[in-house]
Amino acid sequence: MNNSWWRNAVIYQVYPRSFLDTNGDGDGDLPGVIERLPYLKSLGIDAVWLSPFYPTPNKDGGYDVSDPRGVDPRFGTLTDVQKLIESAHELGLRIIFDVVPNHFSSDHPWFKSALSSPPGSPERARFHFFDGRGASGDEPPNNWNSLFGGPAWTRIAESDGSFGQWYLHLFDASQPDLNWANPEVSLDFEKTLRFWLDRGVDGFRIDVAHGLAKDQILVDHRDPKSLSQALRLDFVGMTQESRAGLLRDVPFFDREGVHDIYRAWRKLFDSYDGDRMSVAEAWVYPSSRAARYVRPDELHQIFNFDFLMIDWNSDVIREAIERTLSEVAAVGAPATWVLCNHDSPRIVTRLKDANRARALALLTHSLPGSIYIYQGEELGLEDGSISDEARQDPMFFRTHGIDKGRDGCRVPLPWDAAMPNFGFSSQDPWLPQPAQWAKQSVNSQEVDPESFLSFYRKSLALRKSHPALNHETPIIWHHAPKGVLHFEREWGLVVVVNTTDYKVEIEVSATSNILHISRSGVHLANGHLKLPANSTVWLES
Ligand code: BGC
C-alpha cells in the first residue's frame, strides 16, 4: 500500500482575499495566512491549498494571472511566500499552490505583445487568434460560448485601427486561452512549476485541467447554450445523466492531448524529493473519464465534485460513493471528497439546513481518500447575501445578472465577534459580512462544545487517531431501511446516516459505543440505535 501523505489527507482551501487582512486595505493577505497557521493546524488538517496570489488585474478573483512567478502586492511579497512555506512546514503542514494553465490575464506581457504584433506572428501563436467568419470577418471563428456567458471570442483592433482577428477566451474576455500546441507555452509552465517547487511547495491544484488541449479549435459545438447551463453549480436537481448528456463531446474539454501534458508534469514532480502532489480541477463526463487523469504516470488526484451538487438522498449518495471508489481504485488513485469551494454555494446554503450539512460532513469525514475543506466550512457559514451593486464576479456581468455568480461564498471570514468587521480587517471588507456572523465567528464557536467548529475539530481529530479512518481501508455496506445508509470501515468504525425528516431506529452490534454525532438526540442501548432526522453517527464496535 502506498502511504503517501496526500492519499488520505485533509486539505484546507484558503481563498487569500477573504481569509485575514493584516494591512487594513479590506483584502486578505499572505501575512494573514501566516498569522493564522496555528488555527489551521488546530483544525486537524494536513495541508493548505491557496487560491492564486499572483499579480492580477483581479477581473476573475485572481484566476486571471499576469505573472505566474510573482506575488500581487495586495497579498504581500515573495518573502512572505517563502515565510508561509517555512512556517507551515515547521507546524507539520504542507502547502499547495494553484496554477492556472488554461489562460493568462490580458495584462500578461505575452498578450500585450500579441496585440501589437501582426496576424500570423509568433507572439499571436501563444494564444488562439483566428480570422472571423463571414465576408468581412465580423462573426466569431466558431459558435463556442464562454463559461461565464456570452461568446468565447473577442475581436481586437489591429495596430492600424482596422477591425482585426478574434481570440479565444473560455472564461472572461480578460482571460485569453493559451495555445498548448505551442512548445513555448509548455516551457513557460515548466518554469513556473519549478519556480515554486524549488521554493518548497508541496503540490499544485491545477485550474481547468481538462481544458488545455484544443485540437478541435474551429469545430462548432453542437449545443453551446446548454453547456453553460450544465456547468452552473446552483443548477440543482439535474441528474448525473442529464448533466453528462449536456457535457458529452464538448470540443474544448477532455481532449486526449491533456494527458501528454500531465505525463510530462508527473515526471517533473517525481524528479523532486518530498512527495510532491497535484490535484486536477477537471469537470469530465461521464465520471469514469476522471480516472484517466490519475493513472499512475499522470496526476495524483482529481477533484470529485459529486458531493458539491449531490441531492440529500441516500440512494444517490451511496451510488456516488460506490462509483467513485471503484473508478479511482481501478487506476490505484485515492478518492477525493469536496463539499464546498470558492465556485459553489456553501453547503448549509445549498442543503438549506444546518443539520443536513453536519450530517453530510460527518459522512464525508468517514470516507477513505482525501477531504477538501473550504475556508469557513468548518464554521457552518452560509453564503452572504450580496446586493447587485456590490457584486464582483465576471459571471454576474457577462450574464447580465441572470447568474448571480459566486461572490456569496467568498465573503471574508468572521474571526472575532467583538472586533470591527469581525476581526477580518480594520477597514470595510471587499464584500460585506452578514450581521448574524457574530454568532458564527471563530472566537464565539471556540468556547461552544456544540458548535460547528467543535464538531469539525472532533471528527478531524478522530480521523487522524482512529485506525479505521487514518488509512484507506475499504467500506462494507450493511442493509438499511429506506433513506438510511449503514456501513463499516474496516477495523471497527460503523457509520449510520439518516437522510429522512423523521426519527429512525435500527439494530447495530450490541457492543457498540457512540464515537461522534452530527446532532443531539441520538440514543444507543443494547444495540438498539435511535437516530433523529437528518443526522449521522459514528459508532465503535
Ligand atoms: C476556478 C474559477 C475560475 C475559473 C477560470 C476555475 O474553475 O476555480 O474560480 O473562475 O477556473 O480560471
Side-chain angles (χ1 to χ4, degrees):
M1 171 59 92
N2 178 341
N3 279 328
S4 288
W5 69 269
W6 43 268
R7 291 196 67 100
N8 200 63
V10 179
I11 300 168
Y12 184 97
Q13 179 188 359
V14 165
Y15 191 74
R17 194 178 183 193
S18 299
F19 191 73
L20 178 69
D21 172 22
T22 59
N23 66 354
D25 63 359
D27 281 347
D29 45 45
L30 295 174
V33 184
I34 298 169
E35 187 182 313
R36 294 296 149 90
L37 282 173
Y39 166 75
L40 297 180
K41 178 72 184 175
S42 80
L43 296 175
I45 62 163
D46 301 290
V48 180
W49 146 37
L50 272 101
S51 283
F53 50 77
Y54 315 116
T56 174
N58 204 18
K59 296 276 173 18
D60 180 27
Y63 283 90
D64 47 322
V65 177
S66 52
D67 173 7
R69 300 183 284 278
V71 180
D72 195 291
R74 278 181 313 131
F75 290 124
T77 62
L78 207 47
T79 311
D80 293 324
V81 174
Q82 200 66 59
K83 188 166 169 210
L84 173 62
I85 296 174
E86 282 158 19
S87 314
H89 286 171
E90 275 162 27
L91 287 173
L93 294 172
R94 313 268 182 160
I95 286 277
I96 296 170
F97 288 173
D98 225 306
V99 275
V100 189
N102 181 68
H103 43 266
F104 273 158
S105 155
S106 50
D107 269 15
H108 189 287
W110 274 13
F111 193 71
K112 290 185 178 163
S113 61
L115 290 183
S116 57
S117 302
S121 60
E123 287 80 3
R124 289 225 175 150
R126 293 160 171 161
F127 300 91
H128 296 289
F129 277 91
F130 287 92
D131 293 335
R133 292 199 279 207
S136 53
D138 55 4
E139 286 167 36
N142 70 24
N143 72 349
W144 297 0
N145 275 343
S146 151
L147 303 186
F148 288 166
W153 297 91
T154 290
R155 192 172 197 186
I156 63 162
E158 299 296 351
S159 2
D160 62 3
S162 62
F163 284 119
Q165 289 194 298
W166 298 72
Y167 68 90
L168 176 71
H169 52 87
L170 290 184
F171 295 91
D172 190 51
S174 65
Q175 293 165 295
D177 279 46
L178 286 159
N179 175 11
W180 275 85
N182 183 338
E184 265 195 89
V185 171
S186 36
L187 277 176
D188 191 72
F189 268 84
E190 186 183 322
K191 221 162 134 186
T192 298
L193 297 174
R194 283 188 188 281
F195 183 87
W196 298 116
L197 288 166
D198 289 342
R199 279 163 183 74
V201 74
D202 297 287
F204 297 99
R205 179 257 188 197
I206 303 164
D207 191 64
V208 198
H210 54 319
L212 313 194
K214 309 230 173 44
D215 55 315
Q216 307 244 327
I217 191 85
L218 292 178
V219 175
D220 272 346
H221 182 218
R222 63 182 161 80
D223 193 2
K225 282 223 170 59
S226 61
L227 177 69
S228 30
Q229 196 180 46
L231 288 170
R232 278 183 53 187
L233 292 183
D234 54 355
F235 213 83
V236 280
M238 190 181 259
T239 61
Q240 276 289 335
E241 294 88 276
S242 50
R243 210 179 266 278
L246 293 174
L247 289 168
R248 200 161 281 138
D249 310 323
V250 177
F252 46 81
F253 279 157
D254 199 22
R255 313 294 312 164
E256 203 48 42
V258 296
H259 299 288
D260 296 335
I261 299 169
Y262 300 132
R263 283 192 195 101
W265 285 19
R266 179 60 179 256
K267 287 203 183 92
L268 177 65
F269 300 145
D270 287 350
S271 72
Y272 280 79
D273 60 7
D275 211 357
R276 320 286 175 115
M277 61 80 78
S278 50
V279 54
E281 187 221 19
W283 295 82
V284 294
Y285 292 85
S287 65
S288 54
R289 291 194 60 89
R292 306 176 82 243
Y293 288 74
V294 287
R295 289 177 286 198
D297 61 344
E298 297 195 39
L299 301 174
H300 302 78
Q301 295 183 341
I302 179 166
F303 287 128
N304 157 24
F305 290 131
D306 286 349
F307 281 11
L308 210 57
M309 300 173 288
I310 207 139
D311 292 338
W312 184 234
N313 171 305
S314 60
D315 293 337
V316 178
I317 294 172
R318 177 169 173 170
E319 188 276 332
I321 296 173
E322 289 189 293
R323 177 173 36 76
T324 300
L325 291 176
S326 76
E327 283 171 357
V328 290
V331 288
T336 62
W337 309 100
V338 185
L339 294 180
C340 302
N341 65 23
H342 66 293
D343 290 328
S344 47
R346 286 188 174 279
I347 189 72
V348 180
T349 303
R350 194 172 71 72
L351 294 181
K352 300 187 181 68
D353 181 69
N355 285 326
R356 288 181 175 186
R358 282 166 80 126
L360 182 57
L362 194 53
L363 162 66
T364 304
H365 298 174
S366 76
L367 296 174
S370 281
I371 292 170
Y372 282 81
I373 292 177
Y374 174 52
Q375 66 179 37
E377 180 188 321
E378 79 281 14
L379 304 175
L381 300 182
E382 291 185 58
D383 282 11
S385 80
I386 316 274
S387 67
D388 285 355
E389 294 67 48
R391 290 197 180 274
Q392 311 220 0
D393 189 347
M395 207 179 248
F396 173 75
F397 299 107
R398 290 188 61 92
T399 61
H400 307 288
I402 294 170
D403 195 321
K404 294 288 179 196
R406 302 158 294 175
D407 294 312
C409 66
R410 298 177 178 178
V411 174
L413 291 187
W415 290 98
D416 185 336
M419 286 176 68
N421 308 309
F422 304 137
F424 166 72
S425 172
S426 55
Q427 293 304 313
D428 285 348
W430 69 280
L431 286 173
Q433 298 163 298
Q436 74 273 17
W437 277 12
K439 289 198 292 297
Q440 285 173 284
S441 67
V442 172
N443 78 332
S444 316
Q445 296 204 34
E446 298 233 86
V447 293
D448 175 4
E450 303 296 316
S451 69
F452 231 97
L453 177 58
S454 303
F455 162 71
Y456 259 60
R457 278 200 172 126
K458 182 169 176 187
S459 61
L460 298 182
L462 282 168
R463 199 177 149 87
K464 270 219 152 47
S465 63
H466 199 285
L469 291 173
N470 58 21
H471 292 87
E472 287 174 88
T473 61
I475 283 186
I476 302 144
W477 292 96
H478 294 303
H479 177 73
K482 193 160 175 44
V484 176
L485 295 166
H486 181 187
F487 63 85
E488 199 167 336
R489 292 285 306 274
E490 216 168 71
W491 295 321
L493 184 96
V494 172
V495 179
V496 188
V497 185
N498 177 12
T499 65
T500 73
D501 289 327
Y502 43 86
K503 189 165 38 164
V504 296
E505 302 189 8
I506 72 165
E507 298 304 317
V508 294
S509 154
T511 57
S512 306
N513 303 308
I514 294 177
L515 259 190
H516 198 10
I517 51 176
S518 68
R519 64 178 296 189
S520 59
V522 177
H523 294 286
L524 175 66
N526 305 320
H528 192 72
L529 176 70
K530 292 186 190 165
L531 270 183
N534 300 308
S535 65
T536 295
V537 62
W538 286 1
L539 307 173
E540 192 171 36
S541 60

